[in-house]
Amino acid sequence: MATVEEKAGSGDKRVSEGTLRDFFREMLLIRRFEEKVEERFRAGELPGFLHVAIGQEAIATGVCAALAREDVIASTHRAHGHTIAKGTHVNAVMAELYGKTEGCSGGYGGSMHLYDVEVGNLGANAVVAGGIPGIVGAALAFQLRGEKRVAVAFFGDGATNTGTFHESLNLAQLWKVPAVFVLENNGWAESTPNTQHSPLPIDELGKRAAAFGMKLIEADGQDVEAVHLATLAARDHALSGKGPVLLHLRTYRLTGHFVGDPQVYRDKDELKRERETKDPIELLRARLELSDEDFEALDAEITAEVEASVEFAKAGTDPAPEDALKHVYA
Amino acid sequence: MATVEEKAGSGDKRVSEGTLRDFFREMLLIRRFEEKVEERFRAGELPGFLHVAIGQEAIATGVCAALAREDVIASTHRAHGHTIAKGTHVNAVMAELYGKTEGCSGGYGGSMHLYDVEVGNLGANAVVAGGIPGIVGAALAFQLRGEKRVAVAFFGDGATNTGTFHESLNLAQLWKVPAVFVLENNGWAESTPNTQHSPLPIDELGKRAAAFGMKLIEADGQDVEAVHLATLAARDHALSGKGPVLLHLRTYRLTGHFVGDPQVYRDKDELKRERETKDPIELLRARLELSDEDFEALDAEITAEVEASVEFAKAGTDPAPEDALKHVYA
Amino acid sequence: MPELTYREAVRDALARALREDDGVFLMGEDIAEMGGSMAVTQGLLEEFGPQRIRNTPISEMAIVGSGIGAALQGMRPVVEIMYEDFLTLSMEQLVNQAAKHRTMSGGQLKVPLTVRTQGGAGWSPGAQHAQQLEAWFVHVPGLKVVFASTPEDVRGLLWSSIYDDNPVVFFEHRTLYPIKGEVPEELEPIPLGKARVHREGTDVTVVATGRLVHESLAAAEQAEADGISVEVVDPRTLLPLDEETIVESVKKTTRCVTAHEAVTRGGFGAELAAVIQHGAFDYLDAPIERVGSKFAPLPFAPVMEQHVVPHAADVLEAIKKTVARA
Amino acid sequence: MPELTYREAVRDALARALREDDGVFLMGEDIAEMGGSMAVTQGLLEEFGPQRIRNTPISEMAIVGSGIGAALQGMRPVVEIMYEDFLTLSMEQLVNQAAKHRTMSGGQLKVPLTVRTQGGAGWSPGAQHAQQLEAWFVHVPGLKVVFASTPEDVRGLLWSSIYDDNPVVFFEHRTLYPIKGEVPEELEPIPLGKARVHREGTDVTVVATGRLVHESLAAAEQAEADGISVEVVDPRTLLPLDEETIVESVKKTTRCVTAHEAVTRGGFGAELAAVIQHGAFDYLDAPIERVGSKFAPLPFAPVMEQHVVPHAADVLEAIKKTVARA
Ligand SMILES: Cc1ncc(C[n+]2csc(CCOP(=O)(O)OP(=O)(O)O)c2C)c(N)n1
Ligand SMILES: Cc1ncc(C[n+]2csc(CCOP(=O)(O)OP(=O)(O)O)c2C)c(N)n1
Ligand SMILES: [Mg+2]
Ligand SMILES: [Mg+2]
């Protein structure tokens, strides 16, 4: 877990500059990784169905850095960032997208089913909200065994309209299991704006916690420090036995829903404004006052890392066709 | 619809004494009907699975009296009261419980599937919360066609834990359809007390409306006048175009979950206290200051009506075995 | 005769029904501005407006359930479940409510609801976006089940489904959307419950659905080259099933292969085999061969995916196997 | 050998597993103080306490889903869905999550979850409390499916299901709870995937599951009186299926009837028929007859209910029909 300092003279905490620099590096790594994914998809190299989380990197990084390795996560269709932030090497993620046995799911999962149990990633889910109930059960297992671990579910604003979400949060709160429910509220469910999918004003989606009497913590999802501190608080709360937390983070999807989405449904000016003012990487770069020189050096390093992951993936092993039948049963 | 008077000098409304007497009659009819059902079940005459709503009569009567005939309802496994109050003759209900073609569902439904489309009863449901989404759709049809009708779903506290409930209320509020969601909160889901099924304190279950920004109206479910006025307000709100209403009514289940339930899980003293202090019929009788004479005359009349329904049912027609296959398709 | 893609044919049926009948409206995720995740409903929002082309929240239970409620009030809703994998979330409403209201009410109610959905492999979607689950619904009295394989069929059958007074689960196959075919100028409704003989033949009958109709036709061409004459029948409506056409065909050819993309075990091919062995017992010269997906959740990597799902080559192999039987 | 009811046998397997293994725990609606709606879990709360015998809210998705999550962490949860009709609400978690985690993760995960449920007609419950839906799950690679018909089997199979490292959907039949049968003193695990030959015979094989095992045994007795020798086989595990035992039996008897309470159309009997006609084609002297519920949602009135569901008389009639074939 990252270093957190008490702010002198107050109960508030802040993240050390060194840690913020680490965060910056990881966020940029995720960004460059996903840009590469877009590029390789357009080049026709990547099979399947891909969703990038460009604009939402502060959440992946801020949340996962607040978790212990033993803590577990369940991710969504927009999974690359969470997976990298939870500790899977970009090589293994890229190899998965190329369908190679070296991939983090052995080539069986693909972009929407990134798993890495070793580092606590219980898998991404292509069914909206599909992973949330499992997180309640994982947290219950921790509680029953007296383990000091939390289980964390990521999901979007669109997911909060599902029955699965509702049943899961209700059960989690009822049993006070050590879970954190991370709502990545980017205001869109595919092409459907929040005004067409949730009767609550977009910034009030946190009110859904009230239906269960659940602790709500909110933070600016574009500010990695805020995300990180909020997650630490949420984790503490969940571990204290007081019950789970709904962690509501407002964020922005700065690209299409899926790679290749022409976004006909979206106001182009607004998107442009958002790209200019809400990019979490730009915001952090400004705050860290990174020199262009420093930035470019870092960026070059990261770009090379991402390039290397593509090389790694391409050099990977294709599964044998009949391997398809290998893991049906344990 | 029943007569409602403005209370002189205030915006408050009250129900006229004459109407309250009508309510009393209907509540007593439902009570005697259900007592008879219990008796006939124990005598081995009634097949299937029966749930009575003894203690909850003020809701059936108070709500349904506030509805127009064109308004529609969906009921639950605890359906006799709703069905009678919405306008189905006790003969047709009793005949249904006996599995006769004269029954309100032609003998196809039984206690948990009482239908009477003529009077706006779209059916009782043996799946908890199963009827709620249909009510959203019915209300949507009214809205699309510009009809001044409301659609009403009954359900219990236990049902508020289902995903079906959550998705339905969300959609209803999003589209502001003219629906009223009547939460009959008796504090139990079968043998499971609310403390074991909902993290919210029992009296705060109305907070679930907050998850959707839905209008909440609350009333004492044992007070038929309060229920009735609350329903009128809810109906007005729903028809005004401002959106649906969650109508939260606290009530008491003064018997077992199902007919024959020994209630091993329930504190006997508490039940006794509830029976003594929360019986909506006793409460209304006291308020109306009915003389013993008047009460007994009425009771005798009602008892005869219920007896007659048993005679009617027993004299009814058994379906032919092969009628089973008659209504699979329209 | 105009040529339409399968996608356009679906859209054409929807648009015509929307035009003709105020009671028809559409609900589903992303069907409005975006025109649906498969671009099927593109343009409909512009023509029919947001009251009738309704984007929904991600709420598959409520989508189907509210469709049921509107249908009970005499509307003819057509709801879309984006991928049939998500039908898993609406099973309760489909199976316990839509299919049963009519019987449970003793015939008082009818549920003229159409649930459109699509699925199918062939594009590396992984295990949760490509299932073929039509067999489940064939087991549910009160539902009707349609699975169309050509532009002409999909248009005529969708029309009939919308105007059917019963709940219809209407399956489309993702990889068929771009295929083209001639359709009559005027939409001709195709009655539910009538199979289509795509190709006549004398040696073996292939009963195929969805994408496998096309694979089977390709296999039939190849078999022809080897001197095997193949009849290809598409039931199109899986429930009610046109047993007569299918059984008569097998009586004539004396051999049979069933073919669908769904997993073989417990699939619709099992029902077909059970019906055919019963109805054509004295005629059968070989066991009925079933072609379907191999027994595994669909893996992501294309080589594994292709290994799991059936192709023309698998149908051809099955054809040859039946014919090889003495 | 002690005698237990089917109900007691289920309870015994649960209690022993709970005693032996801290990782085993139970979740479900009303399973604690009330002991379950079928009284199966009575007494377990007292012995094992509320941490391990957990009442849940009415949340079938979350019940199954949280069971999956606990199983992924190495627990062995046994969850109860009160009526299998309500499995319709947990299909997404069962089919898309439990069945697929292992493949999707490339073998990293296992899901040792048992989902117990029950159903069945015979007590006028109406259309939403008596379905038999086991066939759906047979179509889902990654799940195992068990349907036990005797006290001995239900105990031994439940034990094996709990200790299986895969998700098992475990069906019980409501009307079987009171039946009695001898069971070994010590619980003997019964391996999943092994059929049981209940009765040997030479003229016809009845492959039956659940309640219909008993109806078939009764029919066999009656047939015996008419000089027909009937073999009765119960697959017990529907997935994976013991094809060998079943096919060998039919090869011997040359005739076959399948029997279950579920609706015939699209039921498990279809899969059996498909497998048997394939495996025993050259041996079959008559078409395979399928016995199952008639094609209708279950009506309430007892006379209609009894008309829909199959009984010994229906099995007997099918037996006679197969035997009458030249
Ligand atoms: C149950 C289900 N319904 C529909 C879909 C199709 N779908 C995939 S992502 C998505 C939108 C999700 O929105 P949100 O939860 O806000 O996540 P975001 O995409 O914004 O990250 C939809 C509708 C799905 N995958 N699962
Ligand atoms: C989906 C579903 N799960 C479980 C049941 C079994 N069941 C029938 S009634 C009931 C309790 C319902 O509680 P509540 O909604 O509060 O209604 P009440 O019985 O108190 O009127 C349960 C669990 C069911 N019928 N449907
Ligand atoms: Mg979103
Ligand atoms: Mg209740």
Side-chain angles (χ1 to χ4, degrees):
Chain A
M1 277 184 285
T3 319
V4 175
E5 301 166 355
E6 296 279 333
K7 243 195 218 157
S10 89
D12 288 5
K13 291 180 175 173
R14 50 190 290 272
V15 178
S16 73
E17 173 149 345
T19 299
L20 283 180
R21 284 178 184 267
D22 292 344
F23 288 176
F24 186 78
R25 187 186 199 289
E26 186 176 279
M27 288 163 63
L28 193 62
L29 175 63
I30 295 171
R31 173 71 56 90
R32 295 295 179 244
F33 181 90
E34 296 212 300
E35 287 167 349
K36 181 58 70 180
V37 164
E38 291 192 322
E39 176 201 299
R40 293 297 87 204
F41 181 80
R42 288 185 221 274
E45 278 180 13
L46 298 181
F49 196 25
L50 294 155
H51 307 78
V52 296
I54 288 176
Q56 306 184 194
E57 296 89 347
I59 295 179
T61 291
V63 168
C64 291
L67 304 181
R69 188 182 166 96
E70 311 79 67
D71 295 342
V72 297
I73 65 163
S75 175
T76 68
H77 54 288
R78 210 175 291 291
H80 309 143
H82 306 148
T83 304
I84 293 168
K86 191 67 176 73
T88 303
H89 196 280
V90 285
N91 285 359
V93 183
M94 193 63 90
E96 187 60 32
L97 305 191
Y98 276 84
K100 303 292 182 173
T101 61
E102 291 81 2
C104 59
S105 310
Y108 289 82
S111 170
M112 298 197 286
H113 306 293
L114 301 173
Y115 287 78
D116 193 348
V117 177
E118 193 85 333
V119 301
N121 182 345
L122 296 179
N125 224 296
V127 178
V128 169
I132 307 180
I135 282 305
V136 179
L140 175 62
F142 301 158
Q143 185 190 61
L144 286 171
R145 293 194 298 230
E147 295 169 359
K148 284 278 166 205
R149 300 162 69 184
V150 298
V152 177
F154 291 96
F155 52 89
D157 47 312
T160 69
N161 300 314
T162 65
T164 317
F165 163 82
H166 172 88
E167 290 192 4
S168 301
L169 267 69
N170 187 61
L171 192 65
Q173 178 67 23
L174 181 68
W175 290 346
K176 295 201 162 43
V177 298
V180 178
F181 300 101
V182 182
L183 165 49
E184 296 189 75
N185 181 355
N186 63 14
W188 291 92
E190 294 212 6
S191 72
T192 305
N194 60 82
T195 50
Q196 286 184 36
H197 77 61
S198 293
L200 289 170
I202 184 65
D203 292 324
E204 297 180 18
L205 219 46
K207 285 194 179 159
R208 302 216 145 168
F212 320 106
M214 189 181 288
K215 170 88 172 172
L216 170 68
I217 297 181
E218 303 194 287
D220 175 357
Q222 303 313 89
D223 175 346
V224 70
E225 182 181 45
V227 169
H228 186 65
L229 294 175
T231 309
L232 287 172
R235 186 175 185 276
D236 282 351
H237 185 90
L239 283 178
S240 74
K242 284 189 226 137
V245 175
L246 177 63
L247 180 57
H248 177 203
L249 306 170
R250 183 73 175 93
T251 186
Y252 295 85
R253 193 189 85 199
L254 300 179
T255 58
H257 170 61
F258 53 89
V259 179
D261 178 2
Q263 300 195 76
V264 291
Y265 50 82
R266 199 164 175 186
D267 185 273
K268 294 290 167 283
D269 290 338
E270 193 184 311
L271 175 57
K272 188 158 169 284
R273 246 189 338 271
E274 288 177 2
R275 293 187 75 106
E276 283 164 10
T277 61
K278 303 291 189 185
D279 185 327
I281 293 178
E282 291 306 322
L283 292 170
L284 185 55
R285 180 177 168 180
R287 170 160 169 201
L288 287 173
E289 295 172 0
L290 279 192
S291 71
D292 285 357
E293 218 168 43
D294 282 359
F295 176 79
E296 268 143 38
L298 181 66
D299 198 13
E301 187 188 311
I302 284 173
T303 301
E305 202 173 325
V306 170
E307 278 302 345
S309 78
V310 173
E311 293 318 308
F312 175 84
K314 287 187 177 175
T317 321
D318 280 320
E322 55 283 3
D323 286 349
L325 312 180
K326 247 174 58 177
H327 295 303
V328 182
Y329 294 111
Chain B
M1 279 184 282
T3 321
V4 175
E5 301 167 355
E6 297 280 332
K7 240 192 219 157
S10 89
D12 287 4
K13 292 179 175 172
R14 49 190 290 273
V15 178
S16 74
E17 173 148 344
T19 298
L20 282 180
R21 284 180 183 266
D22 293 345
F23 287 176
F24 185 78
R25 188 186 198 288
E26 187 177 278
M27 286 163 64
L28 193 61
L29 175 64
I30 294 170
R31 174 69 56 90
R32 294 295 180 247
F33 181 90
E34 296 211 300
E35 287 167 350
K36 182 57 72 179
V37 164
E38 289 193 322
E39 178 201 299
R40 294 296 87 201
F41 182 80
R42 289 186 220 273
E45 278 180 13
L46 298 181
F49 195 25
L50 295 154
H51 307 77
V52 295
I54 289 175
Q56 306 184 195
E57 295 88 348
I59 296 180
T61 292
V63 168
C64 290
L67 305 181
R69 189 183 166 95
E70 311 79 67
D71 294 342
V72 297
I73 64 163
S75 175
T76 68
H77 54 288
R78 211 176 291 291
H80 309 143
H82 307 147
T83 304
I84 294 168
K86 192 66 176 71
T88 304
H89 196 281
V90 285
N91 286 359
V93 183
M94 193 63 90
E96 185 60 32
L97 305 191
Y98 276 84
K100 302 294 182 171
T101 60
E102 292 81 2
C104 60
S105 310
Y108 288 83
S111 170
M112 300 196 287
H113 306 293
L114 301 173
Y115 287 79
D116 193 347
V117 176
E118 192 85 331
V119 300
N121 182 344
L122 296 179
N125 223 296
V127 178
V128 168
I132 307 179
I135 283 304
V136 179
L140 175 63
F142 301 157
Q143 184 190 63
L144 286 171
R145 294 194 297 230
E147 296 169 358
K148 283 277 168 206
R149 301 162 69 185
V150 298
V152 177
F154 290 96
F155 52 89
D157 47 310
T160 69
N161 301 313
T162 65
T164 317
F165 163 83
H166 173 88
E167 290 192 5
S168 301
L169 267 68
N170 186 61
L171 192 64
Q173 178 66 25
L174 181 68
W175 290 346
K176 294 202 163 43
V177 298
V180 178
F181 300 100
V182 182
L183 165 50
E184 295 190 76
N185 181 354
N186 64 15
W188 290 93
E190 293 213 6
S191 73
T192 305
N194 59 82
T195 50
Q196 287 185 35
H197 77 60
S198 293
L200 290 169
I202 184 65
D203 292 324
E204 298 179 18
L205 218 47
K207 285 194 180 157
R208 301 214 146 172
F212 319 107
M214 188 180 289
K215 169 88 172 171
L216 170 68
I217 297 182
E218 303 195 286
D220 175 357
Q222 303 314 88
D223 176 347
V224 70
E225 183 182 45
V227 169
H228 187 65
L229 294 175
T231 310
L232 287 173
R235 186 175 185 275
D236 282 351
H237 185 90
L239 283 179
S240 74
K242 283 188 229 139
V245 175
L246 177 62
L247 179 57
H248 176 203
L249 306 169
R250 182 73 175 95
T251 186
Y252 295 85
R253 192 189 84 199
L254 300 180
T255 59
H257 170 62
F258 53 90
V259 180
D261 178 1
Q263 300 195 75
V264 293
Y265 51 81
R266 198 164 175 185
D267 185 274
K268 294 291 167 281
D269 292 337
E270 192 183 313
L271 175 56
K272 189 159 168 284
R273 247 190 334 273
E274 289 179 0
R275 292 187 76 106
E276 283 163 10
T277 61
K278 303 290 189 187
D279 186 325
I281 292 178
E282 290 306 322
L283 293 170
L284 185 56
R285 181 177 166 178
R287 171 162 169 200
L288 288 173
E289 295 172 1
L290 280 191
S291 72
D292 285 357
E293 219 169 41
D294 282 0
F295 176 79
E296 267 142 38
L298 181 67
D299 199 13
E301 188 189 309
I302 284 172
T303 302
E305 203 174 323
V306 169
E307 277 302 343
S309 78
V310 173
E311 293 318 308
F312 175 85
K314 287 187 177 174
T317 321
D318 280 321
E322 54 285 2
D323 287 348
L325 313 179
K326 246 173 61 178
H327 295 302
V328 182
Y329 294 110
Chain C
M1 291 229 281
E3 213 182 45
L4 292 182
T5 64
Y6 185 93
R7 175 183 286 112
E8 289 163 346
V10 176
R11 188 187 300 140
D12 192 49
L14 294 172
R16 287 176 192 243
L18 283 157
R19 257 171 237 138
E20 136 151 353
D21 186 340
D22 279 351
V24 175
F25 69 101
L26 272 47
M27 298 194 278
E29 292 156 16
D30 302 291
I31 65 167
E33 288 82 358
M34 189 167 102
S37 71
M38 296 298 127
V40 166
T41 52
Q42 267 177 14
L44 299 183
L45 174 67
E46 290 69 21
E47 182 173 353
F48 301 102
Q51 289 298 325
R52 300 182 68 200
I53 310 296
R54 308 180 74 93
N55 270 353
T56 64
I58 307 173
S59 303
E60 281 77 8
M61 291 187 273
I63 294 169
V64 171
S66 61
I68 293 169
L72 291 178
Q73 294 308 317
M75 310 284 287
R76 295 196 175 278
V78 183
V79 307
E80 178 176 309
I81 297 296
M82 193 188 280
Y83 285 81
E84 60 190 82
D85 309 72
F86 316 151
L87 281 176
T88 51
L89 287 158
S90 48
M91 292 303 282
E92 196 283 307
Q93 289 294 312
L94 273 168
V95 172
N96 292 332
Q97 310 297 333
K100 295 182 172 49
H101 269 310
R102 185 163 182 80
T103 287
M104 293 193 302
S105 69
Q108 291 175 71
L109 290 173
K110 53 190 188 190
V111 186
L113 170 70
T114 304
V115 179
R116 284 183 51 242
T117 191
Q118 63 85 35
W123 55 291
S124 279
Q128 295 174 334
H129 271 65
Q131 289 169 87
Q132 297 273 280
L133 299 172
E134 65 279 359
W136 287 353
F137 303 91
V138 173
H139 195 38
V140 182
L143 297 180
K144 295 190 175 182
V145 181
V146 175
F147 194 0
S149 64
T150 70
E152 182 185 357
D153 285 354
V154 86
R155 193 174 70 153
L157 286 164
L158 180 52
W159 179 271
S160 297
S161 299
I162 295 171
Y163 284 97
D164 196 281
D165 277 340
N166 300 287
V168 179
V169 190
F170 193 93
F171 290 91
E172 299 163 16
H173 194 286
R174 179 178 170 123
T175 65
L176 297 182
Y177 285 121
I179 67 161
K180 285 187 182 162
E182 295 200 338
V183 298
E185 188 74 55
E186 277 313 297
L187 189 153
E188 283 170 15
I190 298 173
L192 303 190
K194 253 338 273 131
R196 173 171 176 179
V197 179
H198 268 276
R199 185 183 198 285
E200 302 207 357
T202 54
D203 295 331
V204 51
T205 299
V206 180
V207 187
T209 59
R211 179 176 67 82
L212 266 287
V213 172
H214 302 275
E215 300 292 313
S216 299
L217 287 168
E221 292 295 321
Q222 294 164 34
E224 193 84 49
D226 290 342
I228 307 169
S229 165
V230 180
E231 180 143 317
V232 177
V233 182
D234 178 358
R236 305 191 294 191
T237 306
L238 280 47
L239 188 67
L241 179 63
D242 183 354
E243 298 192 10
E244 196 187 320
T245 301
I246 294 165
V247 168
E248 286 309 313
S249 170
V250 178
K251 282 186 181 172
K252 180 181 76 176
T253 61
T254 78
R255 291 160 207 271
C256 180
V257 171
T258 67
H260 51 56
E261 186 178 301
V263 171
T264 303
R265 175 74 80 197
F268 180 63
E271 179 61 31
L272 286 171
V275 165
I276 294 164
Q277 67 82 30
H278 195 264
F281 186 78
D282 291 329
Y283 299 80
L284 274 173
D285 285 330
I288 300 159
E289 298 291 332
R290 289 187 288 165
V291 174
S293 276
K294 296 194 178 65
F295 193 74
L298 202 71
F300 165 69
V303 286
M304 293 196 284
E305 181 195 27
Q306 291 309 307
H307 181 70
V308 171
V309 299
H311 307 279
D314 301 291
V315 180
L316 184 62
E317 193 185 316
I319 288 171
K320 292 195 170 162
K321 205 166 156 195
T322 61
V323 174
R325 277 293 284 234
Chain D
M1 289 229 280
E3 212 183 45
L4 292 182
T5 63
Y6 185 93
R7 174 182 286 110
E8 289 162 346
V10 176
R11 188 186 301 141
D12 192 50
L14 293 172
R16 287 177 192 244
L18 282 157
R19 257 171 237 138
E20 140 152 348
D21 188 339
D22 279 352
V24 175
F25 69 102
L26 273 47
M27 299 194 279
E29 293 157 16
D30 303 291
I31 65 166
E33 288 83 357
M34 190 167 99
S37 70
M38 297 298 128
V40 167
T41 53
Q42 266 178 14
L44 299 183
L45 175 67
E46 290 68 22
E47 183 173 352
F48 301 102
Q51 290 297 327
R52 300 183 67 200
I53 312 296
R54 308 179 74 93
N55 271 352
T56 63
I58 307 173
S59 303
E60 281 77 7
M61 291 188 272
I63 294 169
V64 171
S66 61
I68 293 169
L72 291 179
Q73 295 307 318
M75 311 285 286
R76 295 196 175 278
V78 183
V79 306
E80 178 177 310
I81 298 297
M82 194 188 280
Y83 286 81
E84 61 189 81
D85 309 73
F86 315 150
L87 281 176
T88 49
L89 288 157
S90 48
M91 293 302 283
E92 196 283 308
Q93 289 294 312
L94 273 168
V95 171
N96 291 333
Q97 312 296 333
K100 295 183 172 48
H101 269 310
R102 185 164 182 80
T103 287
M104 292 192 303
S105 69
Q108 293 175 69
L109 289 173
K110 53 189 186 190
V111 186
L113 170 71
T114 305
V115 179
R116 285 184 49 243
T117 191
Q118 63 84 35
W123 57 289
S124 279
Q128 294 174 334
H129 271 65
Q131 289 168 88
Q132 298 271 282
L133 299 172
E134 65 280 359
W136 288 352
F137 302 92
V138 173
H139 194 38
V140 182
L143 296 180
K144 295 191 176 183
V145 182
V146 176
F147 194 0
S149 64
T150 71
E152 183 185 356
D153 285 354
V154 85
R155 193 175 68 154
L157 287 164
L158 180 52
W159 179 271
S160 297
S161 299
I162 295 171
Y163 284 97
D164 196 281
D165 277 340
N166 300 287
V168 180
V169 190
F170 193 92
F171 289 92
E172 299 162 18
H173 195 286
R174 177 175 172 126
T175 66
L176 296 182
Y177 286 121
I179 68 162
K180 287 187 181 161
E182 294 200 338
V183 298
E185 190 74 54
E186 277 312 298
L187 189 154
E188 283 170 16
I190 298 173
L192 303 190
K194 258 326 280 134
R196 173 170 175 179
V197 179
H198 268 278
R199 186 183 196 285
E200 302 208 355
T202 53
D203 295 331
V204 50
T205 299
V206 180
V207 187
T209 59
R211 180 176 67 81
L212 266 286
V213 173
H214 303 275
E215 300 291 313
S216 299
L217 288 169
E221 291 295 321
Q222 294 164 35
E224 193 83 50
D226 289 342
I228 307 170
S229 166
V230 181
E231 180 144 316
V232 177
V233 182
D234 177 358
R236 305 190 295 191
T237 306
L238 279 48
L239 188 68
L241 179 63
D242 182 355
E243 299 192 10
E244 194 185 323
T245 300
I246 294 164
V247 168
E248 285 310 313
S249 171
V250 178
K251 282 187 181 170
K252 179 181 75 176
T253 60
T254 77
R255 289 159 209 271
C256 180
V257 172
T258 67
H260 51 55
E261 187 179 300
V263 170
T264 303
R265 175 74 78 197
F268 180 62
E271 179 61 31
L272 286 171
V275 165
I276 293 165
Q277 67 83 30
H278 195 264
F281 185 78
D282 291 328
Y283 300 79
L284 275 173
D285 285 329
I288 300 159
E289 297 292 332
R290 289 188 288 164
V291 174
S293 276
K294 296 195 178 66
F295 192 73
L298 202 71
F300 166 68
V303 289
M304 293 196 284
E305 182 195 27
Q306 290 309 306
H307 181 70
V308 170
V309 301
H311 306 279
D314 301 291
V315 180
L316 184 62
E317 193 186 314
I319 288 171
K320 291 193 171 162
K321 206 168 155 194
T322 61
V323 173
R325 277 292 285 231

